[in-house]
Amino acid sequence: MSQNSDNNKRIAKNTLLLYFRMLFMMAISLYTSRVILNSLGIEDFGIYNVVGGVVAMFSLLSGSLSASISRFITFELGKGNKENLNKIFSSAVTIQLGLAIVIVMLAESVGIWFLNAKMNIPAIRMTAANWVFQFSILTFAINLISAPYNASIIAHERMSAFAYISILEVVGKLVVAYLIMESSMDRLILYSILICGIALIVRFAYSIYCKKHFSECTYHFIFDKEILKKMFGFAGWNFIGASSAIFRDQGGNIVINLFFGPAVNAARGIAFQVNTAIQGFVTNFMTALNPQITKSYACGDREYMMTLIYQGARLSFYMLLILSLPILINTHYALTIWLKLVPEHAVLFVQLVLIFAMSESISQPLITAMLATGNIRSYQIIVGGLQMLNLPISYMLLHFGCIPEVVLIVAIIISQCCLATRLFLLRGMIHLSVMVYIKKVYFNVIIVTVISAIVPLIVAEYLEESFINFIFLSLISVVSVFITVFYVGCNVGERMFILSKIKAAKQRIIKNDPNNR
């Protein structure tokens, strides 16, 4: 019990640290996005998003291998087996180096052909698009090789590293936005060059930190067949899940480009930037929580793992709801304040992408638990196969004349199908109780969402768009979510825990108040 209490405190501390990082990053990133959109223009902004999507299509193997690396390092730490850590780390770097070479070769052949022969890009901007493509490939390769270092930081739960280095990254992007605004050269090309430079600086920072703090993060060329076999076996099946997500997101972006052109890609890009800013809060929470789920499975503490799964799913959803509800109700005005120049389709894209993010959030702890088992073949074939349906269904619906937003509507429906499938499969893999999950998580978040939205929606009907009304309605939304989560979303034990923490905080404030001495 004491060990679990220490783990909970570590999760809370790491989450809080990552939240301060995220607040800082979100504020600057949203401003930077506005400057970049206005500096590049809607068309060039759309070109950058869709060309980067082509490169992302080649990251299928990298995503699956990165998850494999993180799982193996975390699992060994959970077992307390430090002897194999350097072997796993060095093997991971060797794999990533080889993979980077293969993917760059594919991108320079198949990718360039697809870009120039199939993409819907104005001829006058094709040269710039090719420059963007080249620097996107280089940025991708840099990130790929650094994956083992990032996995080590997460496994060791040293979230302060992310907080400090992220400040460096976001300040760098702010400088990039300023340089783009002041530049007289082709801004799209310059933007891709500078973003690549930022990626290189950040990746070196992570590498230096890991080498200094973790003894296993010293690379030696190792060709351990047993370790490589296990990692490739895990990554091979995980490849299905990683590829299905890439096809869903980036494939959907490319399909939109084929039917509607880069202007609609810009609208979708705006939506996903809003999603990235808000989703980052949940990502931070799960980054702090994931190692504990894996470690509790590794040491056989099933009860604690289940507690983390249920609470993690609910808290992930609540965090998104608190931030998303004000935007869902005030989408048009929020985008007007942020961008001034709001691309057509952006409002509905933003609303749908936030609903999709909330749909996915309650599955994240389930995915972590599945990866922890290492027995992922059946899971990835079935769930990955379901997610693969996003691309052909979206293409078919667009072909028959549907609006571009239908791509996200399809993603939301399939996301719910995947959740049901995950629950069914994990019942056999980790003895997860489906009914308990439905009661404690699924019904819980639906009820909280419905009750939270009633008052803000009623108030919104009587208010016109203005800055004062936007702030007022956002406050009502946030307060409504907090109250509903506390009285409806939390059980008695959780409410008592929250009240005890509030009481303790008040006592510390009173104790430190010089007027009370």
Side-chain angles (χ1 to χ4, degrees), residues 498-508:
I498 293 170
L499 290 173
S500 68
K501 291 298 180 183
I502 294 173
K503 184 178 179 181
K506 285 183 178 179
Q507 289 176 344
R508 282 197 297 271

Side-chain angles (χ1 to χ4, degrees), residues 29-46:
S29 294
L30 290 176
Y31 172 75
T32 302
S33 298
R34 170 180 166 173
V35 173
I36 294 298
L37 175 63
N38 290 324
S39 298
L40 294 181
I42 290 176
E43 188 172 83
D44 276 4
F45 186 81

Side-chain angles (χ1 to χ4, degrees), residues 396-407:
M396 180 182 67
L397 292 173
L398 291 177
H399 178 74
F400 285 113
C402 289
I403 59 174
E405 292 89 342
V406 76
V407 173

Side-chain angles (χ1 to χ4, degrees), residues 34 37-43 266 270 335-344 346:
R34 170 180 166 173
L37 175 63
N38 290 324
S39 298
L40 294 181
I42 290 176
E43 188 172 83
I270 290 296
L335 289 178
T336 303
I337 293 174
W338 174 31
L339 300 173
K340 293 186 178 179
L341 178 65
V342 181
E344 188 180 359

